[in-house]
Amino acid sequence: MKRSDALLVGWIGLFLAVPGFSAVSPPRVPGGADAPGLLAVVHGEALAPETVHRAVIENTEQERFERLFHVGKYNFVLFAATLQERERWIEDRLLALAAEREGLSVEDYLRREAGGASAEAQASARSQLLARLRQAAGDSVHVPAFRVPLDVRDAPALGNPASAVTIVSFVDFFCGQCKAMEPALLALLEKFPGKVQLVAKHFALSPSDGQSFRFVEAALCAHEQGKYWEFRRELFAGRLHEDDLEGEAFRFAARLGMDTGRYLTCLEARLLVDRVRNEQEEGAAIGVFGTPVVFVNGRRVPNAQDSALVERMIRLELAGAGQGHEQAGDHRLPGPESAEYPW
């Protein structure tokens, strides 16, 4: 197997290896006792695994959170390296075929095209040559869109659920860039009425006892009563004080006519703590290690804060460019610092 093929298979395998990826499992203690359903017995009193596992998970929460960053970053590196290897393979094949048609080696062909120029000029000539070769190749170069699996069931969403395009954004409520990006994301729903759905995911940048995590819990508890987007709007607008979660939650729920008892029970009993952890784990599994991160129909946006780029990807999806076949180059979207990322 070629290196590029191995990288691709390995990246896809990461997704397939996530247990029940459509509903990521909470952390689990590896292994188990020989006797199913118990860890120990003393004078007839049994110790159930669930009792210990829950305590162990809570006591190792900081370690779990620290691991998330490293897992997410590594998975992102795998993702980027896979697609960069794909681009290198395409370029190598195009150059090899062009040189073969001229009866030259690749080195002699490049030297002829560069005209014996300096190293910098040769690099520029190579880039221009590859652009011409890709354009001339047309449909003979098949570059499928590269997507990641995302479970959007039961997630807070705006827009038409049957729309052709689904935008999934991973945010942290105390991420300034997430807050700055929000108006542009909402504007896309108005720009493409009925054609785009916006789905909210969260990558809380704290362990479960931290402020970021707890406010995600509060937002999802509001979602249980259909008030997620109202909570998100008030939080991003600075109308909810960060240092008084329970008090602000009660006042928010009362102001919107929610069942305050149900809402506070959800928050204080931490009924959704595993759901927030699951979203953190889901994000790390697909290369999220910071926020914001945006996906358009499963395609990662190279620069989530570039609203023009997000719009371009939406238009590509609506035009069918990402539906199974793309011409070479159609998928090449500008990334951070104007670098070309083959996403």
Side-chain angles (χ1 to χ4, degrees), residues 75-116:
N75 285 340
F76 173 76
V77 169
L78 282 179
F79 163 72
T82 295
L83 299 195
Q84 287 164 358
E85 284 289 323
R86 181 181 71 178
E87 287 301 298
R88 279 193 282 270
W89 182 85
I90 292 171
E91 292 176 355
D92 288 347
R93 293 305 304 146
L94 288 174
L95 286 172
L97 291 170
E100 184 179 350
R101 286 194 296 268
E102 299 292 326
L104 299 171
S105 68
V106 172
E107 291 76 13
D108 288 340
Y109 178 64
L110 286 171
R111 193 176 301 112
R112 187 192 74 179
E113 293 297 315

Side-chain angles (χ1 to χ4, degrees), residues 186-227:
L186 296 175
L188 291 170
L189 296 174
E190 298 180 5
K191 195 159 194 172
F192 299 96
K195 298 179 180 179
V196 173
Q197 181 187 32
L198 174 62
V199 176
K201 289 281 189 175
H202 311 88
F203 192 80
L205 298 177
S206 76
S208 63
D209 60 350
Q211 183 185 62
S212 291
F213 194 105
R214 292 290 285 146
F215 269 85
V216 172
E217 283 184 86
L220 291 177
C221 285
H223 177 54
E224 298 279 292
Q225 297 189 49
K227 300 297 183 182

